[in-house]
């Protein structure tokens, strides 16, 4: 199976361990040096050890598509009231 965002194996989680679904804006520069935004839905959960981890689920050029996935996941995971702000990161 090809790796996606560093994962090569399926991650099985108990629903009770899932804390939130948020969206991260990842900003890079194009070949001309102009900023380019990519939008990443992020799943945050707690391991059995108590450590909190966030994983990137996908990456979109369109914020609307990322919001659709995040909203759908919140609904399916019963996290409807879990609207999180968009986090902004800059690529090195």
């Amino acid at each position: 199976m090809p790796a996606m965002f560093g994962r090569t194996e399926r991650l099985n989680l108990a629903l009770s361990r899932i804390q939130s679904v948020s969206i991260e804006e990842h900003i890079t520069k194009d070949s001309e040096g102009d900023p380019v935004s990519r939008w990443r839905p992020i799943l945050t959960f707690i391991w059995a050890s108590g450590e909190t981890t966030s994983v990137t689920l996908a990456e979109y050029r369109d914020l609307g598509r990322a919001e659709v996935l995040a909203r759908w996941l919140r609904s399916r995971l019963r996290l409807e009231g879990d609207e999180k702000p968009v986090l902004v990161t800059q690529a090195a």
Side-chain angles (χ1 to χ4, degrees):
M1 174 186 328
M4 179 177 280
F5 298 103
R7 294 183 311 277
T8 57
E9 296 182 19
R10 170 181 269 168
L11 177 62
N12 293 312
L13 292 172
L15 291 178
S16 62
R17 297 212 176 269
I18 298 173
Q19 299 295 296
S20 66
V21 177
S22 59
I23 297 173
E24 178 181 271
E25 180 184 18
H26 184 75
I27 302 172
T28 58
K29 298 207 182 248
D30 64 15
S31 61
E32 297 175 359
D34 296 321
V36 176
S37 293
R38 299 280 192 256
W39 305 94
R40 297 175 174 180
I42 306 290
L43 180 76
T44 301
F45 61 92
I46 299 176
W47 291 107
S49 66
E51 179 184 352
T52 300
T53 300
S54 295
V55 294
T56 299
L57 302 173
E59 184 176 83
Y60 298 99
R61 292 182 183 188
D62 177 34
L63 174 58
R65 291 186 69 196
E67 288 174 332
V68 166
L69 176 58
R71 195 170 28 252
W72 180 82
L73 281 171
R74 286 184 198 116
S75 172
R76 299 292 290 178
L77 298 171
R78 297 193 172 115
L79 299 170
E80 288 92 348
D82 187 46
E83 292 296 323
K84 298 288 181 186
V86 173
L87 306 171
V88 179
T89 59
Q90 299 271 340

